[in-house]
């Protein structure tokens, strides 16, 4: 009970700063929404996008699904890295570690906060896709999107934590995060259909976290029945998440790296 | 009087460097204990062992009756930390940050009361990003004491303060002592240590080289210091021959610590000055300060 209260208090504390910062809101919500508007407009004449040989989906399902996954990664991966490195270098984590609180409540607070902002992103993206671009959003598809969102936040939080040991300043985190997200987005069928990419690149991306997440969100929005959970997505993101948590557990520093 | 900290034979190595070398001391309940030393003398490592952030290689440390390595929640509830360098999320207000941190403790101080103690009551609703460096340091102190700690660690708390802010801060620390908080303080400033610390230890190269009250350390050194600017064209050895004592010269100031022979030395110095027409600019005959103790013990400026 106390653990939940502590985690929630920290999540809301982070949320308040998030809502006060133009930079994070632009990065986390305005940018994915802007891309959705631009790309849907550019490709509106196509109606259908060829995702793979003999498989097409509507442009709006492709972009709403892909850009939601991309926005989730951009926000969570960058956000956790910047927040944790910033708190560590500012001495907040050291102070937190010395306080009479379970250390895990910091992590739980971060996950909870990122779940909240990611669900916010999902709601905004799905609303615009439905109202403006006539996406037919089924309840089952929406529940699947929520499930994938939780999976994605878990995975990208873990990956971000695992590399905080290499990131010495929050500024470094805020450039590494978007760089990785944008690079992955091109190989993961977010902006361009994977069909246009070299096959080997697509094969590699299949084992990186963004491609399965984007592809699952796209196909559930495109399909006409069921939740269509993809086993592969849970395995790939789950393995990335668990392995990253183990790495984070072994390498995590509560004290500032710079002295 | 009970001891809040007991340290015996504490040793910590980082690779080949011995950061803390067989250090022993006690801190008594209700006192301000100072840990002085140059950068790299081992102060911060010692404190981090006491806070539970580092494991000693040898020796033992007992803090509030517990080995900090086995720290538990109730122990953490009783200690407070003021860090050497820290920063805060600029987007939160002072109040919000303190309220969150207060919620971590079992028996926290009231936020408003804490802000009054550190002199930030009128900035409670200000975003931290709008505060000056000195005001941010006060938040640091506020976070250190918000849990009502019995023992407070202050790691160079006034670095970067202007003289006025430093004096105000000393008042805050003395107020905490009056309320019964035991305090461990590291500092670069001898004036600060002399004013605040009931007892202190000077560390150099990982070892404690002097320990006691500042007045005891000072009187152990000698009764009087003579100081003046070295006149142009006069060298150290000439001066020593004339006065028959060993003057130390630093930054063109000659200084010597004396016991009973102060009159003799002064007489020789003044007679020489009068007969040669050399003026002794800035001549002082004063009680030695903690700074002289520090120089004698470590052979360096703090």
């Amino acid at each position: 009970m106390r653990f939940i209260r502590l985690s929630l208090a920290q999540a809301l504390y982070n949320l308040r700063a998030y809502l006060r910062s133009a930079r994070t809101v632009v990065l986390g919500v305005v940018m994915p929404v802007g891309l959705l508007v631009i790309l849907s407009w550019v490709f509106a004449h196509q109606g259908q996008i060829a995702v793979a040989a003999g498989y097409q989906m509507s442009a709006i399902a492709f972009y709403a699904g892909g850009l939601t996954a991309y926005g989730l990664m951009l926000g969570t991966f960058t956000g956790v890295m910047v927040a944790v490195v910033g708190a560590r270098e500012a001495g907040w984590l050291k102070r937190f570690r010395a306080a009479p609180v379970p250390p895990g409540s910091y992590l739980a607070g971060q996950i909870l906060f990122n779940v909240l902002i990611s669900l916010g992103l999902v709601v905004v993206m799905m609303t615009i896709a439905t109202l403006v671009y006539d996406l037919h959003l089924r309840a089952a598809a929406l529940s699947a999107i929520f499930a994938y969102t939780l999976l994605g936040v878990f995975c990208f939080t873990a990956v971000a934590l695992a590399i905080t040991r290499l990131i010495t300043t929050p500024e470094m985190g805020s450039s590494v995060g978007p760089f990785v997200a944008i690079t992955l987005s091109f190989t993961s069928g977010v902006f361009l259909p994977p069909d246009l990419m070299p096959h080997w690149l697509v094969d590699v991306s299949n084992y990186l976290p963004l491609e399965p997440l984007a592809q699952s969100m796209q196909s559930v929005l495109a399909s006409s029945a069921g939740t269509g959970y993809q086993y592969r997505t849970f395995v790939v993101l789950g393995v990335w998440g668990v392995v990253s948590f183990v790495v984070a557990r072994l390498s995590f520093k509560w004290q500032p790296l710079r002295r | 009087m009970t001891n809040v900290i007991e340290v015996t034979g504490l040793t910590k190595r980082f690779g080949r460097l011995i950061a803390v070398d067989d250090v022993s001391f006690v801190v008594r309940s209700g006192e301000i204990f100072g840990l002085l030393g140059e950068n790299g003398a081992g102060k911060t490592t010692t404190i981090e062992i006491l806070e539970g952030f580092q494991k000693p290689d040898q020796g033992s440390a007992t803090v509030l009756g517990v080995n900090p390595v086995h720290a538990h929640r109730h122990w953490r509830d009783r200690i407070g930390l003021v860090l050497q360098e820290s920063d805060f999320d600029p987007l939160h207000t002072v109040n919000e940050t303190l309220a969150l941190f207060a919620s971590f403790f079992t028996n926290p101080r009231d936020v408003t009361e804490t802000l009054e103690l550190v002199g930030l009551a009128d900035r409670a609703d200000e975003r931290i990003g709008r505060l000056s460096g000195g005001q941010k340091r006060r938040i640091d102190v506020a976070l250190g004491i918000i849990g009502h700690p019995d023992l407070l660690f202050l790691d160079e708390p006034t670095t970067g303060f202007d003289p006025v802010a430093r004096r105000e801060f000393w008042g805050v620390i003395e107020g905490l002592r009056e309320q019964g908080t035991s305090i461990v303080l590291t500092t670069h400033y001898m004036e600060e240590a002399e004013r605040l610390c009931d007892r202190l230890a000077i560390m150099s190269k990982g070892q404690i080289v002097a320990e006691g009250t500042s007045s005891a350390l000072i009187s152990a050194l000698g009764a009087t210091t003579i100081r003046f600017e070295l006149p142009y064209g006069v060298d150290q050895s000439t001066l020593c021959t004339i006065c028959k004592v060993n003057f130390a010269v630093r930054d063109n100031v000659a200084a010597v610590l004396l016991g009973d022979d102060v009159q003799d030395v002064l007489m020789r110095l003044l007679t020489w000055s009068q007969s040669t027409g050399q003026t002794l600019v800035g001549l002082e005959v004063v009680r030695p300060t903690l700074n002289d103790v520090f120089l004698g013990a470590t052979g360096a400026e703090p």
Side-chain angles (χ1 to χ4, degrees), chain A residues 2 5-6 9-10 13-14 16-17 20-21 90-92 94-101 254-255 259, chain B residues 48 51 53 73 76-77 81 83 86-89 91-92 96-97 100-101 103-105 127 140 143:
Chain A
R2 181 168 180 264
R5 180 176 62 77
L6 285 168
Q10 293 179 77
Y13 183 80
N14 291 334
R16 187 160 47 206
R20 283 176 187 169
S21 161
W92 181 266
K94 181 176 181 182
R95 207 191 299 279
F96 181 84
R97 189 71 188 85
V101 280
W254 294 90
Q255 291 152 277
R259 272 279 166 82
Chain B
E48 288 193 342
E51 292 166 344
F53 283 107
R73 182 180 151 194
R76 294 188 197 281
D77 237 332
L81 258 62
L83 306 175
S86 62
D87 205 354
F88 305 95
D89 193 329
L91 296 166
H92 286 105
E96 289 163 353
T97 302
L100 176 70
F101 209 71
S103 74
F104 297 165
F105 292 86
R127 290 212 188 159
D140 217 324
L143 291 174

Side-chain angles (χ1 to χ4, degrees), chain B:
Chain B
M1 200 182 268
T2 54
N3 294 332
V4 287
I5 296 178
E6 288 176 6
V7 172
T8 315
L10 207 64
T11 301
K12 177 74 186 178
R13 297 184 194 85
F14 295 110
R16 295 171 72 186
L17 173 82
I18 305 180
V20 178
D21 187 1
D22 193 20
V23 161
S24 304
F25 61 89
V26 299
V27 177
R28 296 175 193 144
S29 178
E31 76 174 353
I32 301 181
F33 182 83
L35 213 46
L36 276 57
E38 303 156 71
N39 285 331
K43 302 180 306 256
T44 300
T45 306
T46 304
I47 289 222
E48 288 193 342
I49 292 171
L50 300 179
E51 292 166 344
F53 283 107
Q54 309 253 11
K55 263 188 203 160
D57 294 317
Q58 274 152 42
S60 72
T62 308
V63 179
L64 298 173
V66 171
N67 179 346
V69 175
H70 306 126
H72 46 74
R73 182 180 151 194
H74 298 292
W75 182 83
R76 294 188 197 281
D77 237 332
R78 296 177 60 198
I79 64 162
L81 258 62
V82 175
L83 306 175
Q84 203 175 98
E85 274 173 53
S86 62
D87 205 354
F88 305 95
D89 193 329
L91 296 166
H92 286 105
T93 68
V94 177
N95 235 337
E96 289 163 353
T97 302
L98 257 70
L100 176 70
F101 209 71
S103 74
F104 297 165
F105 292 86
T106 311
N107 174 31
R109 237 182 257 271
D110 177 60
V111 171
T112 313
E113 179 203 318
T114 308
L115 287 176
E116 272 164 17
L117 260 173
V118 300
L120 267 183
D122 54 335
R123 313 308 296 262
D125 294 317
E126 193 84 63
R127 290 212 188 159
I128 292 176
R130 297 209 185 96
L131 300 186
S132 71
Q135 287 168 330
K136 283 187 195 166
R137 286 303 272 149
R138 286 158 194 248
I139 298 178
D140 217 324
V141 178
L143 291 174
I145 62 172
I146 196 139
H148 254 305
D150 295 325
L151 173 62
L152 180 64
F153 291 100
L154 294 163
D155 200 359
E156 299 189 3
T158 62
T159 302
F161 275 31
D162 62 53
V164 176
R166 183 166 297 133
R167 259 159 226 290
E168 284 177 11
F169 180 83
W170 293 346
V172 172
I173 301 306
E174 284 165 337
L176 290 172
R177 173 172 53 191
E178 276 167 35
Q179 294 190 7
T181 311
S182 311
I183 294 168
V184 176
L185 168 83
T186 74
T187 183
H188 277 310
Y189 302 104
M190 293 303 126
E191 201 192 347
E192 182 165 290
E194 210 170 334
R195 156 98 183 249
L196 288 178
C197 297
D198 298 303
R199 289 187 316 115
L200 50 91
I202 297 176
M203 286 188 80
S204 179
K205 300 186 180 80
Q207 296 180 318
I208 290 184
V209 291
E211 191 189 349
T213 65
S214 69
S215 56
L217 288 171
I218 290 166
S219 30
L221 204 60
T224 314
T225 296
I226 297 176
R227 250 197 302 256
F228 54 90
E229 281 180 30
L230 193 64
Y232 181 76
V234 178
D235 66 12
Q236 190 178 357
S237 58
T238 316
L239 200 63
C240 294
T241 314
I242 294 160
C243 296
K244 296 178 181 157
V245 283
N246 282 321
F247 274 94
V249 176
R250 178 187 290 270
D251 296 335
N252 212 39
V253 172
V256 66
L257 278 159
L258 299 167
D260 299 335
D261 48 349
V262 62
Q263 285 90 343
D264 297 341
V265 174
L266 258 183
M267 186 62 78
R268 283 192 284 270
L269 182 66
L270 293 174
T271 309
W272 168 77
S273 151
Q274 197 169 34
S275 62
T276 58
Q278 295 278 11
T279 43
L280 298 170
V281 179
L283 175 66
E284 285 183 307
V285 183
V286 292
R287 187 173 176 262
T289 64
L290 194 55
N291 199 44
D292 298 313
V293 175
F294 191 89
L295 288 178
T298 66
E301 287 281 1

